[in-house]
Amino acid sequence: MAGGQNLWFSGALMLACLMPSIVARAEPALAEAMPAASASAAINALANSCQAPVDVAWLLAQLNALRSQGQSCGEVPRPAAPPLRWEPKLAHSAQAFAAELAQRDGLSHVGAGGGGLRERFKRSGYLFARAGENLAAGQEELDEALQVWLNSASHCDNLMQPEFRDVGLACAVGPGTYQRYWVLHLGRSVINFP
C-alpha cells in the first residue's frame, strides 16, 4: 500500500497530484510527536521506531544511488538527478507524520486535522519552493519501501525530480493492519531556489 503527493509552487500556480489512498478516521494529530532534532536524533528515532540500525550516510547513499542511475518511472524514462542532502526539518516532519499514520492505522496524505504536506512542512519550519511526499505501509525494510516507490510511476517521479535537493525519511511502528509506516519528505528550500 502506498501513496504519493507532489506539490509544485511557481508564483500563483500550484499543481497537486494526489494518489488514491486509504483515508482513516481522524484521530488527534501527533504534530508535536518529535521536537526539532539534529540529523542524528532523527536517525535514532527512525532506528528505534522500526528496529533497524540506520545512519544518515547509509540512507543518503541508498537514495542517491537510485537518483544517480536514472530510472524508468512507468512509461517515462527519468535521467539521473542531483544528489539529495539530509534535512533535519524534513526528518522531523516525516517522523511526526509517520507517528500519526501509525496511530491512525491508515495511509492518507490528509492529516488528522485536515492539513496536508504544506502544513506539515510549515510546522517543521521548512520554507519550501518545491515539496513532495511518498508514503508506504507494511514494508518491513527500507529497501522494500523504496522498491514499492520505484514500481509506482508517481512515487518514482518524486524520487527522480531533479528540483528536489533536501530529504527526510522516517518510519513508525503501530499495532494495527500495516504495522510499519514509511514517510519520505522531499523538498527544495526557498533559500536554495534560483
Side-chain angles (χ1 to χ4, degrees):
M1 187 65 49
Q5 183 177 28
N6 196 357
L7 300 178
W8 301 99
F9 297 93
S10 175
L13 174 66
M14 179 178 87
L15 170 65
C17 174
L18 180 61
M19 294 297 294
S21 58
I22 297 171
V23 180
R25 186 171 80 68
E27 297 290 337
L30 294 178
E32 304 302 321
M34 187 173 121
S38 67
S40 62
I43 288 301
N44 286 339
L46 174 61
N48 292 336
S49 294
C50 292
Q51 294 112 23
V54 179
D55 63 41
V56 172
W58 182 83
L59 279 173
L60 288 175
Q62 296 292 308
L63 293 170
N64 288 330
L66 293 174
R67 287 172 61 91
S68 71
Q69 297 170 14
Q71 302 290 327
S72 289
C73 298
E75 300 291 321
V76 180
R78 285 288 188 180
L84 297 167
R85 63 181 169 230
W86 187 256
E87 171 51 61
K89 291 175 182 177
L90 293 183
H92 171 258
S93 65
Q95 184 62 46
F97 197 49
E100 178 185 319
L101 294 172
Q103 180 194 33
R104 289 171 30 192
D105 190 25
L107 197 61
S108 174
H109 288 286
V110 178
L117 184 58
R118 177 190 299 251
E119 289 79 17
R120 288 190 279 285
F121 277 24
K122 184 177 179 181
R123 279 193 303 266
S124 74
Y126 185 79
L127 303 175
F128 65 94
R130 301 274 190 261
E133 176 177 75
N134 282 1
L135 306 178
Q139 298 77 23
E140 291 191 25
E141 303 291 333
L142 175 60
D143 291 344
E144 295 172 30
L146 287 174
Q147 193 58 54
V148 165
W149 291 331
L150 286 174
N151 291 338
S152 162
S154 62
H155 296 94
C156 179
D157 192 53
N158 265 356
L159 285 170
M160 296 307 296
Q161 284 297 325
E163 293 86 1
F164 292 140
R165 296 291 196 265
D166 301 325
V167 67
L169 174 74
C171 179
V173 173
T177 307
Y178 301 110
Q179 296 186 0
R180 282 180 175 72
Y181 296 83
W182 298 90
V183 176
L184 179 73
H185 281 170
L186 299 149
R188 180 142 185 189
S189 170
V190 294
I191 297 166
N192 299 321
F193 192 73

